[in-house]
Amino acid sequence: ARANLGCVLAESGQLKLAVAAFQGALAQFADYADVHFHLARALDELGEANHAIEHWQRFLELSPASPWAEEAQSRLGQSASMLKF
């Protein structure tokens, strides 16, 4: 339920509340791949790419064959290029 709430909140632009809902879902189910994906996306949209990285990576570990894996890899690449000085 918290994962679904997070998705609804993210879609309605309430990203900080969505992050909280996703974090609550992960507190109960740490290996919920889809929640890692949606949390990473919300964090990226909030400009917190450095916090999103661990969730993009965990998503790919848990679900490497997902249709969303390409997006996660792309976002990781973008984050890595932004972190280089």
Side-chain angles (χ1 to χ4, degrees):
R2 288 182 186 186
N4 289 335
L5 174 61
C7 289
V8 170
L9 290 166
E11 288 178 20
S12 67
Q14 298 179 64
L15 295 173
K16 289 183 180 183
L17 290 174
V19 166
F22 293 137
Q23 289 171 334
L26 288 177
Q28 296 291 316
F29 305 100
D31 291 339
Y32 195 159
D34 290 1
V35 174
H36 283 284
F37 176 86
H38 292 296
L39 175 54
R41 182 185 267 179
L43 289 168
D44 269 352
E45 290 182 31
L46 285 169
E48 298 182 28
N50 54 335
H51 291 108
I53 290 172
E54 70 180 280
H55 297 288
W56 289 125
Q57 291 172 333
R58 187 67 181 134
F59 168 74
L60 288 171
E61 290 170 5
L62 294 168
S63 192
S66 167
W68 296 334
E70 188 175 318
E71 179 180 347
Q73 291 168 344
S74 174
R75 298 267 190 137
L76 276 171
Q78 291 171 359
S79 295
S81 67
M82 289 173 43
L83 294 175
K84 292 180 182 176
F85 297 107

